[in-house]
Amino acid sequence: MGSLEMERSTTGWAARDPTGVLSPYTYTLRNTGPEDVYLKVTYCGLCHTDIHQAKNDLGMSNYPMVPGHEVVGEVLEVGSDVTKYKVGDVVGVGALVGSCRQCNPCKSNIEQYCNKRIWSYNDVYTDGKPTQGGFAGAMVVDQKFVVKIPEGLAAEQAAPLLCAGLTVYSPLRHFDLNKPGLKGAILGLGGVGHMGVKVAKAMGHHVTVISSSDKKKVEAMDDLGADAYLVSTDSDQMLPAMDSLDYILDTVPVAHPLEPYLSLLKVDGRLIIMGVIGEPLKFVSPMIMLGRKSISGTFVGSMDETGEMLEFCKEKGISSQIEVVKMDYINKALERLEKNDVRYRFVVDVAGSKLDQ
């Protein structure tokens, strides 16, 4: 184990203003301590939330900001009290790098719901330094918020699992929807949605993909293995599907009506919202009252669930469908992601990129 007593600098690609354009930015990593892991970033996935944050869509962005919260890297050094990891381990870092450790969610090991959670970027760490994400050469992270990547799971494949995979796995597990034989649907076939199909199928569910047009039908059915496909704008398809689903994973990251989808749920069915949307969503109350239906939110998952999810994906042979790019392509990738022009997740080869140009 190494001793971490001095600050280090690294270069990442940062947004400087709400245009969201990223460019090289060299900064000092936060002070390290005995519980910390110093890691070299090898890959980092690109999530729709990165666009929201870089462009200040939620009105809470601070600049300069290095995005990236689907981080896989190699441990270079560990603090004196680190027991879970050693130099050379392949590890992951997700959306959080800290929490209070004292509140009920923290004590219940669901630290993602801590009101004092610390985001992996666009936040301030306990030492007063801004947190910066995974589109950078290196990070320093408390060992509690680091997870081991199982052997046999490729690093570039593991990166999107740390957000997209976890986001769908956690609510299925929590709401007891991880048993075989259920009928579920995935609303929106993007980075999170495609993982929803794969995880739900691996749990033994009958899976329907719901989309606004039929242009993704072939890939949903043939490539991802969905059992059915519904075009939400076609009443001839939607009406026969009423009262047929146990749950819907709503992955759409922009404002959309809820009522067409609530009607598809059985009695006690659940619509689970997982897209970050900066404006109100609307529905009339009888849509949920006359079927005892529920609308729930969910946010990534706990560190315990992260490790469990990675092992599940390894056991079931689940991988992400990705397009690997270098850092100098990141702004084009952001543009394409905003247009949903990717199948299904960009992953940046950080270690293989020239970060200073």
Side-chain angles (χ1 to χ4, degrees), residues 146-161:
V146 176
V147 64
K148 183 81 162 58
I149 304 298
E151 289 185 18
L153 197 57
E156 66 273 21
Q157 291 287 344
L161 299 179

Side-chain angles (χ1 to χ4, degrees), residues 36 61 79 88 120 141 205:
D36 287 324
S61 296
S120 52
V141 184
H205 299 178

Side-chain angles (χ1 to χ4, degrees), residues 99-111:
S99 67
C100 78
R101 319 269 182 118
Q102 300 297 320
C103 66
N104 285 333
C106 284
K107 290 179 179 179
S108 302
N109 292 321
I110 48 172
E111 59 284 328

Side-chain angles (χ1 to χ4, degrees), residues 122-186:
N122 194 34
D123 208 341
V124 178
Y125 203 68
T126 53
D127 61 357
K129 286 184 174 290
T131 59
Q132 303 289 8
F135 295 142
M139 294 179 73
V140 177
V141 184
D142 187 292
Q143 67 170 336
K144 176 174 175 56
F145 295 91
V146 176
V147 64
K148 183 81 162 58
I149 304 298
E151 289 185 18
L153 197 57
E156 66 273 21
Q157 291 287 344
L161 299 179
L162 297 169
C163 174
L166 181 61
T167 295
V168 297
Y169 180 88
S170 175
L172 291 175
R173 178 184 183 273
H174 173 73
F175 292 117
D176 197 28
L177 296 169
N178 56 349
K179 53 194 175 188
L182 297 179
K183 296 188 71 174
I186 312 300

Side-chain angles (χ1 to χ4, degrees), residues 201-335:
K201 285 294 294 180
M203 290 178 174
H205 299 178
H206 179 283
V207 179
T208 298
V209 169
I210 307 173
S211 191
S212 58
S213 73
D214 62 3
K215 68 180 182 180
K216 295 184 179 181
K217 183 174 182 177
V218 172
E219 59 197 75
M221 304 284 286
D222 296 347
D223 298 344
L224 299 177
D227 300 290
Y229 190 93
L230 278 179
V231 177
S232 59
T233 54
D234 186 343
S235 59
D236 290 338
Q237 293 186 37
M238 294 288 281
L239 284 173
M242 289 178 62
D243 304 317
S244 66
L245 299 173
D246 294 295
Y247 68 87
I248 298 173
L249 301 184
D250 184 346
T251 75
V252 177
V254 295
H256 57 284
L258 299 185
E259 291 174 4
Y261 312 110
L262 291 169
S263 68
L264 302 178
L265 294 170
K266 299 176 180 177
V267 172
D268 290 328
R270 188 178 297 271
L271 176 70
I272 303 171
I273 294 175
M274 49 190 61
V276 178
I277 302 169
E279 52 190 291
L281 300 178
K282 297 180 180 180
F283 63 95
V284 294
S285 59
M287 292 296 299
I288 57 174
M289 294 169 59
L290 300 179
R292 204 165 58 192
K293 301 173 184 181
S294 301
I295 299 174
S296 302
T298 186
F299 174 64
V300 289
S302 68
M303 294 309 300
D304 286 349
E305 287 172 329
T306 305
E308 184 181 302
M309 176 273 305
L310 289 171
E311 290 293 344
F312 175 84
C313 289
K314 177 188 174 183
E315 176 189 343
K316 299 294 186 180
I318 297 174
S319 61
S320 316
Q321 291 187 216
I322 60 174
E323 181 176 336
V324 179
V325 300
K326 302 293 191 197
M327 190 66 79
D328 60 8
Y329 190 79
I330 188 67
N331 290 306
K332 182 65 175 177
L334 286 163
E335 290 178 13

